[in-house]
Amino acid sequence: KAGVTQTPRYLIKTRGQQVTLSCSPISGHRSVSWYQQTPGQGLQFLFEYFSETQRNKGNFPGRFSGRQFSNSRSEMNVSTLELGDSALYLCASSLSTRDYEQYFGPGTRLTVT
Amino acid sequence: DQQVKQNSPSLSVQEGRISILNCDYTNSMFDYFLWYKKYPAEGPTFLISISSIKDKNEDGRFTVFLNKSAKHLSLHIVPSQPGDSAVYFCAASGADATNKLIFGTGTLLAVQP
């Protein structure tokens, strides 16, 4: 069974631009969560989606948004990029909500210049 | 407020010996705990988990112990192998009825041949 896939793997953007990252969960998994990893803050929860509904959101500004499609694929969007948004963005999937064992994709490395 | 803490940033162990990684948490509402292994520029790999109703879970070379009264968990790796060298994160979930994982800051394990 294929794992979680994320595209693109690497991205370089300029301050003020926006970016969209994509995540395809493991087949059959319906819950998708997003995390940001930075050297200073570690792994921080962004949001969780289940059945196309956002179930939880972390402590991030409104510039960070996401959505989930009917096939469970998910996208996250960051608008008006700032230098501090440079990070590894990780997507994780699990069978359902309250299924805590989450499986992570390889991540998208975003660099904002 | 760091709800999950890994107080040892690094640990060095000889091949064949036991590695013990520690994690403390503050939120008594957490009901599920996980350990992940991570290599640079990759997503975390799920290793082992434990429910709060148990005090031990074993999977091959990996054993997780949970001491709820002390709000402490540990991961034992026996015997340690050079391929185990990576950053290990503990994570906790269940406090808010979603899949949100709260991660510790990680411990870099180096297994010396």
Side-chain angles (χ1 to χ4, degrees):
Chain A
K1 188 184 277 192
V4 178
T5 58
Q6 292 186 245
T7 57
R9 291 294 312 277
Y10 304 92
L11 207 49
I12 299 175
K13 289 287 188 177
T14 304
R15 257 184 318 176
Q17 288 185 315
Q18 74 165 19
V19 67
T20 299
L21 312 181
S22 182
C23 170
S24 293
I26 292 171
S27 178
H29 283 197
R30 296 172 59 201
S31 175
V32 173
S33 297
W34 289 88
Y35 295 83
Q36 179 197 64
Q37 186 184 25
T38 59
Q41 298 297 317
L43 278 154
Q44 302 277 313
F45 172 80
L46 278 157
F47 19 67
E48 177 200 349
Y49 287 89
F50 176 74
S51 291
E52 302 177 65
T53 301
Q54 186 181 92
R55 296 199 73 247
N56 201 348
K57 190 176 194 300
N59 189 23
F60 280 83
R63 301 185 295 107
F64 291 80
S65 63
R67 59 178 175 168
Q68 186 181 34
F69 302 95
S70 58
N71 61 358
S72 297
R73 193 177 68 84
S74 178
E75 289 180 348
M76 67 163 281
N77 184 276
V78 188
S79 62
T80 320
L81 284 165
E82 299 177 1
L83 294 178
D85 297 333
S86 295
L88 181 67
Y89 289 87
L90 293 157
C91 169
S93 76
S94 59
L95 279 169
S96 180
T97 191
R98 296 290 292 206
D99 182 5
Y100 302 124
E101 292 180 10
Q102 296 180 40
Y103 297 87
F104 283 82
T108 294
R109 169 69 63 184
L110 172 65
T111 302
V112 182
T113 62
Chain B
D1 177 28
Q2 191 72 26
Q3 297 187 66
V4 179
K5 299 176 186 179
Q6 293 177 256
N7 292 317
S8 298
S10 64
L11 175 68
S12 183
V13 171
Q14 286 295 119
E15 181 178 4
R17 306 296 290 268
I18 183 171
S19 294
I20 301 177
L21 298 107
N22 294 304
C23 180
D24 297 295
Y25 62 96
T26 58
N27 190 337
S28 58
M29 297 300 291
F30 289 139
D31 64 3
Y32 207 80
F33 303 89
L34 307 92
W35 284 94
Y36 285 87
K37 172 182 176 181
K38 188 179 186 300
Y39 297 111
E42 293 184 12
T45 300
F46 170 72
L47 281 175
I48 191 168
S49 61
I50 187 166
S51 164
S52 61
I53 62 173
K54 296 185 175 181
D55 55 18
K56 177 182 174 181
N57 188 27
E58 192 171 354
D59 184 1
R61 297 186 298 116
F62 302 93
T63 303
V64 56
F65 296 92
L66 176 62
N67 182 333
K68 281 193 300 182
S69 60
K71 293 191 177 69
H72 177 84
L73 64 154
S74 61
L75 174 68
H76 293 210
I77 306 174
V78 183
S80 301
Q81 300 172 353
D84 296 329
S85 298
V87 177
Y88 288 78
F89 290 94
C90 69
S93 190
D96 59 3
T98 70
N99 282 1
K100 175 182 176 180
L101 293 177
I102 306 294
F103 282 89
T105 50
T107 297
L108 175 62
L109 173 65
V111 180
Q112 310 295 334

